[in-house]
Amino acid sequence: MPNLMRPRWTKLNSLALMVAGFAPAAISGPLDEPHLNITLRTDDEIARIERVLFGVDDYSKAHQFEAKPAGAATVRVLTNADAFSQPTENMPFEDELDFKVGNGLFRKLWVSSPSSTLASDGLGPLFNARSCQRCHIKDGRGHPPEDPKDNSISMFLRVSIPGGDAGAMVEIEDYIATSPEPTYGEQLQDFGLPGVPAEYRLQIDYEEIDVALSDGETATLRKPTYTAANLGYGPLHPDAMLSPRVAPQMIGLGLLEAIPAADILAQADPSDSDGDGISGRANIVWSVEYGMPMLGRFGLKAGHPTIRQQSAAAFAGDVGISSPLYPAPYGECTSAQVKCQTAPHGDQDVRGFEIDSEGLDLVTFYSRNLAVPARRDVNDPKVLRGKQVFYETGCVSCHTPAYVTHRLQDQPEQSFQMIWPYTDLLLHDMGEGLADNRPEARATGKEWRTPPLWGIGMTEQVSDHTYFLHDGRARSLLEAILWHGGEAEAQRNAVIEMPAADRVALIEFLENL
């Protein structure tokens, strides 16, 4: 077992070498970042980065830059549900209109074709929601249906079957070949336009599990079982693999995209060569836009390399909207769904696609620049004690606290900022309890990308719930921790066994992020 009392923020010690262009031999994978217009760092900047990025050994006060988790892009804290919907603080005035127009497209309710509103038609014919905002309500976190009558508007099931032609993916080492489910494609949609049957209804059944904690305390977890009920096009393939997904929060995406790939890859340790029990692997995925393998950063299994591709894929799968990256006018319905493929669509005449390149760029700009709120009371003694517990328990082995972003020529909001997202953006084996048993690119059925933690303490304020993890099964941050297994089992056990006061402090720290 690793030494849980040792501060673990140590895998970034080679940052100065990497930003200078030297990558240790252990780093593998694509370092090209064609989506970013990068200026190389100077020797002076490399030295400054080395000074500010270091392991923590003083928990008596907050780090001098910790109160602003997004650097100069950090915004003040609002006390209402709009806290995640603000533009970055350092956005140039002339770009604010693009942010507002992008917000309008993000919130737009799409309608079916044909329609007199030519700029808004093209919905479906199969879809999960009529707008991006319907899943990412207030740009926050989605949730599972809370009772059998509640729809699953911010949650769906991905689906695929094993095997198939890897095609260009043979360039990606350890790529796991899968294929769309022959009848239902890659995602199950629970809404259809008139005359086009919906694909399914999401059914979730929960089993209660009690967990004994130290000091006589207990916690109760709920273990979900997912069923694709009321299938509209016949049975699923017998080898179909289902993966539940809840819409994640939207803040800070542009800053995550601006983290140097080398800094992320430097933390990968697939063979656990340092013996700390934590591996971490990069998901290398295919870029639809650039036609090359790239580092996956976005999605619950890091299945997309850029915000633009993630946005276009969501338009196609969630709303049934075509774009230059995913041009099928009927979304992702299959050849077995004839009524879906032959229904009227909205990509004729005016735009060429249901959302064209300019519209996709505006949504990307909006998504890139949703701001991270400032932290609150970072020097509160309870918060500082919780921070010490978080670090010394080893949570920072995956939830890497801080980075310095690339210096970017045309993205001043994200350029050369010290940020505190608390993620390594790598894949980790989280054990059988959280396994969906569905691979995605290099990610196995037990691996998930480490989620960023910034803003997690404001979930209830923004989203009016406290559901966490990829499928919202955890009803509190403590429950989310207790579901950790695999590489994080030692940390989970440490939380179970630590004094109750330390558990309280740990949650105080997380709620302060």
Side-chain angles (χ1 to χ4, degrees):
M1 178 179 294
N3 176 11
L4 298 182
M5 296 307 293
R6 176 175 59 87
R8 295 176 173 274
W9 184 13
T10 58
K11 292 187 179 181
L12 291 181
N13 289 345
S14 58
L15 257 177
L17 294 174
M18 289 181 292
V19 296
F22 173 79
I27 297 176
S28 62
L31 295 178
D32 291 335
E33 296 165 289
H35 57 302
L36 300 175
N37 193 357
I38 299 166
T39 297
L40 293 177
R41 295 168 174 175
T42 66
D43 291 342
D44 178 64
E45 289 170 342
I46 292 169
R48 288 166 58 194
I49 292 169
E50 191 173 13
R51 285 196 296 271
V52 298
L53 287 178
F54 54 85
V56 172
D57 54 11
D58 179 6
Y59 299 101
S60 64
K61 60 182 179 180
H63 188 285
Q64 60 178 323
F65 301 117
E66 201 170 350
K68 290 190 172 184
T74 307
V75 292
R76 65 187 179 91
V77 178
L78 300 181
T79 57
N80 58 26
D82 293 324
F84 287 175
S85 299
Q86 304 177 76
T88 53
E89 180 66 26
N90 57 347
M91 178 183 291
F93 175 77
E94 58 269 21
D95 290 340
E96 290 185 10
L97 179 60
D98 286 345
F99 181 86
K100 292 176 180 177
V101 175
N103 184 21
L105 291 170
F106 193 83
R107 297 168 62 90
K108 175 193 285 192
L109 293 174
W110 294 84
V111 298
S112 60
S113 301
S115 169
S116 59
T117 57
L118 295 180
S120 298
D121 68 347
L123 175 67
L126 292 167
F127 58 98
N128 294 107
R130 290 182 58 196
S131 75
C132 307
Q133 184 77 204
R134 286 288 180 92
C135 290
H136 303 276
I137 301 167
K138 292 291 186 179
D139 305 297
R141 190 183 305 272
H143 63 86
E146 297 179 348
D147 62 64
K149 297 180 181 179
D150 185 17
N151 65 42
S152 55
I153 192 68
S154 58
M155 183 178 187
F156 63 82
L157 295 176
R158 291 209 185 280
V159 60
S160 57
I161 62 174
D165 182 10
M169 308 305 180
V170 296
E171 298 183 29
I172 301 175
E173 184 180 359
D174 296 329
Y175 178 83
I176 305 170
T178 60
S179 298
E181 202 281 340
T183 302
Y184 291 91
E186 296 180 335
Q187 180 171 324
L188 293 177
Q189 287 91 14
D190 51 357
F191 292 101
L193 296 177
V196 181
E199 290 187 319
Y200 84 124
R201 176 180 60 83
L202 175 61
Q203 177 180 319
I204 311 176
D205 298 294
Y206 291 107
E207 172 191 352
E208 299 285 317
I209 301 173
D210 291 330
V211 179
L213 308 176
S214 65
D215 293 346
E217 297 186 348
T218 60
T220 301
L221 307 182
R222 56 178 191 172
K223 179 182 178 181
T225 298
Y226 298 96
T227 303
N230 299 354
L231 289 166
Y233 298 86
L236 289 163
H237 189 283
D239 296 327
M241 304 174 289
L242 300 176
S243 179
R245 306 292 175 92
V246 164
Q249 65 185 31
M250 297 287 293
I251 58 173
L253 297 183
L255 294 164
L256 297 177
E257 191 174 51
I259 297 171
D263 294 0
I264 297 169
L265 293 168
Q267 301 172 87
D269 185 16
S271 60
D272 190 21
S273 58
D274 61 3
D276 68 351
I278 306 296
S279 300
R281 301 190 310 126
N283 202 0
I284 307 301
V285 301
W286 190 256
S287 167
V288 175
E289 184 171 9
Y290 297 101
M292 59 182 284
M294 289 179 62
L295 174 66
R297 301 173 189 244
F298 301 105
L300 294 166
K301 285 181 179 273
H304 289 288
T306 65
I307 298 170
R308 193 170 193 263
Q309 180 169 317
Q310 174 74 31
S311 300
F315 268 119
D318 300 350
V319 197
I321 297 297
S322 64
S323 70
L325 298 190
Y326 295 89
Y330 42 77
E332 62 108 32
C333 70
T334 69
S335 58
Q337 299 166 329
V338 177
K339 289 184 178 180
C340 178
Q341 289 208 352
T342 59
H345 49 80
D347 66 350
Q348 305 105 334
D349 303 327
V350 178
R351 305 184 306 282
F353 299 101
E354 289 163 337
I355 186 166
D356 59 16
S357 183
E358 182 180 7
L360 184 58
D361 286 344
L362 287 165
V363 172
T364 301
F365 184 82
Y366 172 74
S367 302
R368 180 187 296 144
N369 286 289
L370 283 165
V372 179
R375 285 186 52 194
R376 292 79 56 208
D377 302 321
V378 293
N379 281 303
D380 182 284
K382 291 182 180 178
V383 171
L384 290 173
R385 174 57 187 160
K387 176 183 174 181
Q388 183 174 1
V389 173
F390 184 86
Y391 278 61
E392 292 185 346
T393 302
C395 303
V396 292
S397 295
C398 300
H399 291 283
T400 302
Y403 301 86
V404 173
T405 61
H406 273 304
R407 186 174 288 285
L408 302 172
Q409 296 181 27
D410 52 1
Q411 292 177 220
E413 304 89 350
Q414 290 82 41
S415 181
F416 206 59
Q417 300 299 319
M418 185 177 182
I419 63 172
W420 298 75
Y422 285 92
T423 175
D424 59 10
L425 294 178
L426 295 175
L427 301 171
H428 293 275
D429 181 338
M430 296 301 293
E432 291 291 344
L434 289 179
D436 66 348
N437 298 311
R438 178 184 178 271
E440 186 171 335
R442 298 178 76 217
T444 70
K446 294 196 294 184
E447 288 181 317
W448 298 94
R449 182 204 67 164
T450 306
L453 296 182
W454 49 15
I456 197 168
M458 302 182 73
T459 298
E460 185 170 17
Q461 174 184 322
V462 172
S463 302
D464 197 30
H465 67 76
T466 57
Y467 297 139
F468 302 103
L469 299 178
H470 66 279
D471 57 0
R473 71 177 68 187
R475 294 161 294 187
S476 67
L477 290 171
L478 178 59
E479 285 188 28
I481 294 169
L482 295 177
W483 272 110
H484 283 47
E487 295 176 41
E489 186 170 359
Q491 286 70 33
R492 169 190 179 272
N493 291 342
V495 172
I496 289 174
E497 295 165 5
M498 66 178 51
D502 282 351
R503 277 196 300 273
V504 171
L506 175 62
I507 300 303
E508 288 255 5
F509 169 69
L510 294 173
E511 290 178 343
N512 186 263
L513 294 178

